Structures are given as C-alpha cells and as structure tokens.
Amino acid sequence: MTGRLTLLAATMRAAGVRVGVGELLSAHRALSAVDPVDREAAYFALRATLCSRREDLAAFDAAFAEWFLPARPPAPEAPPGLDEVAKLVLPRTAVPGVSRAAEIEADADVVPSAWSDVELLRDKDFADYTDAERRRARQVMRRLAEAAPARPCRRTRRSGRRGAAPRGARLDLRATMRASMRTVGDPFERHWREPGERPRPLVLVCDVSGSMEPYARMLLAYMQACVAARRRVEAFVFGTRLTRVTAELRGRDPDAALERAAGAARDWSGGTRIGEALATLNREHGRRLGRGAVVVLLSDGWDRGDPRVLEQEVARLARCSNRLIWLNPLKAHPDYEPLTRGMQAALPHVDHFLAGNSLASLEELASTLAGLTE
C-alpha cells in the first residue's frame, strides 16, 4: 500500500499537482481511518487529502484508476482459421498472429504513464505556443504567482524553537509562564517570539511594443495571475507611453481581464520608449508604489528613445526600490549579448537579469521573489 501511494503521488506530481510529503502522510492517516478494502471509501479519503483545488480532480481520477483499480481483462482471441474477410470485420486486436505490441509500435508512439504536457511546455518558447498550450500554461502561472517577496516587520510571531534563543528572538513571557504551570511554576520550558514578515509591494512593468508581440500575451497573463493572487501588486504596460492596468487585470475571468488590459493600452504593438515610460512611473506613480518595492521589468531592451534618459530613470528606480529585476526573452538564446544601447545603459543598475521566454524562466523568477526576505 505504501508503494502504491508513492506511485499515486508521483503520477499526480507529473500531471502538475502539488503533492508533497505532508499530503502523502495525510493520505496514510486517512486510509488508516477507513476500511482500505472498501474502494469507494479509500477513493474519497485519498481525494480529500491529495486534492486541494478543483483542477486536481481529473489528475487524481486518472492516477487512482491507474494504481488502484483492477486491470481490464484481455480481449478474447479470435478462433483459428479465419479468412481474410473475417480479419477485416473483426477488430485488429482479435486477429491471431498479430501481437498487440507490434500494433502499438506501428500505429502510435508509446509514452510513459508519468508523461505530462506541463513538462513539455516548461522549456518551450512562448512564441511557439498554440492556443491550447497557452491555456494550460496559465494554470501553472497561477501557482507561480503565489511566490511573493517579503520583508521583516515590527510585529512578532511565536517561534517554533524551544530552549536556546533563536537569532533575533526575544522571550515570550506569557507563553513561558503558561508552560511553567505544568512544572509547578518553574520555567523550564522557555518560549520565544521572532520578527514576523509582511508581503513586500511588487511592481510589474511589461513592454507591449511590436518587438515584444510574441511574448506580451503570456507575460501579461502572468501579471494577471499575480494581481489576482495577492494584494499590494501594481501592473503597468508601456510602448511609447505608460499605462496602469492594475484595475483591468483584477477579476475572476482571466480572458476578460486580458481583453480589458489590451484595450486600455492604446500603444499596443507600437514603438518603444522605455526611458519616457519609466520617467512617468517614477514621477506620477512613485507615491502609489512606495519605497522598498520589488520592481520587475519585462522587456527586450529595444528602445528608440535617448539612452541617457533611460539610464537616469533606471538608476532612480533602482534607488527607490528594494530590488530591480529585468526579464528579457532574448537572454534565453545562447548567443545573446546585451549590445543594444538601452540594455547597456540599464544593466549596471539591475540586480537580477533573467530570461522571460518560458515557464522555466518564470519559475526562476518565482524562486528569486520567494528568496527576497530582507
């Protein structure tokens, strides 16, 4: 049973479901609470512990059917001595002398049971996506959008450590006195409080000019997932001018949100003036953004404006922000070099320079954001 549960969790992970060790241990406890011989009870017990979203149900049903349902009996073989007419009428699997393995090898490509289209899309360039692949990639983006930068705050929280004081912690006198009631008033068990964390503001600025057309839709979908996932997120798009699209990207329907954002950007697929757009961001929206935000720029760096203006505005934005991250889809190519005047002017002030052409690059961005805790 332990082996089957492990294979069930591995199959669900291959299908894009978040199943970790904690969920696997909960599944063991759920099976011990019901009759494991009762297949229906085991099904609902495992589904309640391994599925956290409605999108996970289809992957769970397929994995449960693979590892816990009995295999179908093989199709009966046809009687010997069939003529050619009978061979044409009966199914090919019932024709004697023809193995099932030979038919599969001749007619279809064999894929492993742990195959996942998400893994195939992970390193695929956004410019090569089909409409169906874009829809599947949005489900992964909703998970990646949950990663958020944090900062320490004055409010403290209870520490899980006991005994020696953790670094930066202070004594939790109330919890220590409460625990001392079990030892006749002697405070043998000491409790501590450590600094808490608050989400840091996140600012996403996406280039929607003509050179970014193959990537703008997918990057805007990632921005919509970030706006819908948490608070304190601001979204902007720019071509020749800056447009705030935070209100347009809110809502439960991502397709409608993307249409609203595309309609608000009047300069979609036009020219590029990164310096002027960042100047508007610094001067008109600086109070809304606040100091200490993490700013993510999504652009290929092709700029028609003055590179000196771009350098000044990027330097000002870097001074006001906690981190400045630049995502450039062209960086994914092995022969890429930042030779444009815009990138050469901006890179000295950028903290992290990443690619932005695939789900793998967005996963790298999510891990970078999750690691910002100072």
Side-chain angles (χ1 to χ4, degrees):
M1 184 61 68
T2 302
R4 285 178 177 264
L5 282 180
T6 305
L7 294 174
L8 175 67
T11 306
M12 294 180 65
R13 279 196 299 269
V17 182
R18 298 184 63 183
V19 179
V21 179
E23 288 79 5
L24 192 58
L25 294 177
S26 300
H28 277 279
R29 291 193 295 267
L31 279 183
S32 63
V34 299
D35 185 7
V37 181
D38 188 353
R39 186 175 291 110
E40 183 178 0
Y43 168 83
F44 285 107
L46 293 176
R47 192 177 76 166
T49 54
L50 297 178
C51 297
S52 58
R53 302 177 303 172
R54 181 176 298 178
E55 294 82 1
D56 302 342
L57 297 179
F60 172 78
D61 291 339
F64 187 84
E66 179 178 354
W67 297 109
F68 285 91
L69 294 184
R72 296 182 178 179
E77 297 184 357
L82 295 176
D83 53 8
E84 295 298 326
V85 178
K87 291 181 180 180
L88 294 176
V89 174
L90 294 178
R92 296 181 62 186
T93 55
V95 178
V98 181
S99 64
R100 181 58 177 167
E103 292 183 6
I104 295 178
E105 184 177 359
D107 296 340
D109 296 332
V110 179
V111 294
S113 59
W115 173 85
S116 173
D117 54 355
V118 177
E119 291 296 327
L120 298 179
L121 296 179
R122 184 176 180 273
D123 297 315
K124 189 174 183 179
D125 198 278
F126 286 151
D128 301 330
Y129 273 19
T130 62
D131 293 338
E133 290 172 342
R134 292 190 183 96
R135 289 191 294 268
R136 289 195 293 268
R138 289 180 188 175
Q139 300 177 2
V140 183
M141 289 180 180
R142 285 195 290 268
R143 175 175 56 85
L144 297 178
E146 298 175 359
R151 65 177 180 87
C153 62
R154 295 182 179 179
R155 180 171 295 180
T156 60
R157 62 185 178 185
R158 295 189 60 179
S159 175
R161 294 186 59 180
R162 309 287 173 83
R167 182 178 179 181
R170 63 183 183 183
L171 182 65
D172 188 349
L173 185 59
R174 179 178 296 180
T176 302
M177 295 301 294
R178 187 185 303 114
S180 68
M181 303 302 294
R182 296 192 293 266
T183 56
V184 199
D186 293 329
F188 287 111
E189 184 179 343
R190 290 174 293 175
H191 293 254
W192 305 94
R193 297 190 70 87
E194 59 185 3
E197 292 181 350
R198 292 186 60 187
R200 188 178 290 277
L202 179 64
V203 182
L204 302 170
V205 187
C206 183
D207 185 354
V208 293
S209 60
S211 60
M212 285 285 293
E213 178 64 26
Y215 305 97
R217 287 281 179 179
M218 294 305 299
L219 295 178
L220 197 63
Y222 172 73
M223 294 171 60
Q224 191 277 330
C226 292
V227 172
R230 58 185 184 271
R231 301 173 58 187
R232 308 198 70 182
V233 178
E234 290 288 341
F236 298 87
V237 296
F238 71 90
T240 56
R241 59 182 180 179
L242 186 73
T243 305
R244 181 173 179 262
V245 293
T246 307
E248 286 78 6
L249 292 180
R250 290 195 180 101
R252 298 182 178 179
D253 189 354
D255 295 325
L258 293 178
E259 290 298 328
R260 290 194 300 267
R266 301 297 179 87
D267 53 349
W268 190 283
S269 298
T272 311
R273 293 187 178 274
I274 306 177
E276 286 77 0
L278 295 183
T280 305
L281 179 68
N282 288 328
R283 288 163 176 78
E284 297 185 8
H285 302 280
R287 185 178 298 274
R288 176 180 288 112
L289 304 182
R291 301 182 66 90
V294 176
V295 181
V296 180
L297 288 173
L298 307 99
S299 174
D300 55 3
W302 289 94
D303 186 27
R304 296 184 179 180
D306 190 351
R308 292 175 297 181
V309 176
L310 174 59
E311 184 178 6
Q312 294 174 1
E313 299 302 330
V314 171
R316 181 175 180 176
L317 187 61
R319 288 193 300 268
C320 297
S321 60
N322 177 265
R323 293 290 193 280
L324 181 58
I325 305 174
W326 192 302
L327 264 66
N328 190 334
L330 303 180
K331 188 180 182 296
H333 298 279
D335 299 332
Y336 170 76
E337 294 182 8
L339 301 179
T340 60
R341 296 185 303 173
M343 290 306 308
Q344 290 181 353
L347 277 182
H349 309 284
V350 174
D351 297 305
H352 302 276
F353 186 47
L354 309 175
N357 69 313
S358 63
L359 289 177
S361 61
L362 294 184
E363 289 179 357
E364 185 178 5
L365 172 64
S367 62
T368 302
L369 293 177
L372 300 179
T373 57
E374 298 181 355

